[in-house]
């Protein structure tokens, strides 16, 4: 199993974001997770395409844009132009899920669908063959530093079964409350891509935290 660590910039120091992103990649990050909040779909406000465009030339790794915005479609082309590689959205935030997936792909990005803790996986039923990524939220979206909701492990197992049955390469990402002490159990439930905000950016030494996560994953 190939595991990927995706630090979330939400917990980075925004006053020196470029440096933070470069440091976390130097420390071993596989992906940059870019949280976009609109103070409408979620009760918080973060960053948009201009900031994505600004960090794009600083790193080679994929930028994984997690849209917590409603509506979704208007902003998709802007993020594609800003250098996003993966764009994920919440089914509740799009009136036409299949159309939004197509829009993301038409703009040359990989497409992901995101499941809040209370959102059923049945949204996958008719679109799984078009997705590149399934993102299971293990906290309610809006803030970093929240506690991992254990029910997400059951949802990860169910999503893993669906993905394996599809026979396609679809990443299974988890987001919220991922730490060095629970990452092994989360991987065991089926996740292969791990968003971690406060666990990495809140640590003094990014490299040793990422190394500890990899050591935990190697126990699988
Ligand atoms: C929450 C965001 C997460 C957040 C995770 O709405 O989608 O990506 O940054 O933060 P931690 O890892 O601190 O739970
Ligand atoms: Zn996120």
């Amino acid at each position: 199993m190939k595991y990927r660590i995706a630090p979330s910039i939400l917990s980075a120091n925004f006053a020196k974001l470029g440096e933070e992103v470069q440091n976390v990649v130097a420390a071993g990050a596989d992906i940059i997770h870019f949280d976009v909040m609109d103070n409408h779909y979620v009760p918080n406000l973060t960053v948009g395409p201009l900031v994505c465009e600004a960090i794009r030339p600083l790193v080679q790794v994929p930028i994984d844009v997690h849209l917590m915005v409603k509506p979704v479609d208007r902003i998709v082309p802007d993020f594609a132009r800003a250098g996003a590689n993966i764009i994920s959205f919440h089914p509740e935030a799009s009136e036409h899920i299949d159309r939004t997936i197509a829009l993301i792909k038409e703009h040359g990005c990989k497409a992901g669908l995101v499941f809040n803790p209370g959102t059923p996986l049945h949204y996958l039923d008719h679109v799984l063959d078009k997705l590149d990524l399934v993102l299971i939220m293990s906290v309610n979206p809006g803030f970093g530093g929240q506690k991992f909701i254990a029910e997400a492990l059951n949802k990860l197992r169910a999503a893993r079964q669906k993905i394996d049955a599809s026979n396609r390469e679809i990443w299974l990402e988890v987001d919220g409350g991922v730490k060095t002490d629970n990452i092994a159990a989360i991987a065991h439930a089926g996740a292969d891509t791990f968003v971690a905000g406060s666990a990495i950016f809140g640590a003094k030494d990014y490299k040793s935290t990422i190394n500890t996560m990899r050591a935990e994953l190697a126990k699988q």
Side-chain angles (χ1 to χ4, degrees), residues 33-57:
H33 185 81
F34 193 97
D35 283 308
V36 183
M37 303 185 185
D38 68 348
N39 187 39
H40 169 70
Y41 180 64
V42 291
N44 201 354
L45 186 65
T46 59
V47 287
L50 283 175
V51 177
C52 184
E53 193 180 352
I55 64 166
R56 176 67 285 179

Side-chain angles (χ1 to χ4, degrees), residues 49 67 69-79 81 100 103:
L67 293 180
V69 305
K70 185 179 182 175
V72 181
D73 294 4
R74 222 298 294 142
I75 205 80
V76 163
D78 296 13
F79 273 103
R81 276 192 290 272
T100 303
L103 180 69

Side-chain angles (χ1 to χ4, degrees), residues 33 35 66 68 175:
H33 185 81
D35 283 308
H66 175 192
M68 288 161 275
D175 185 2

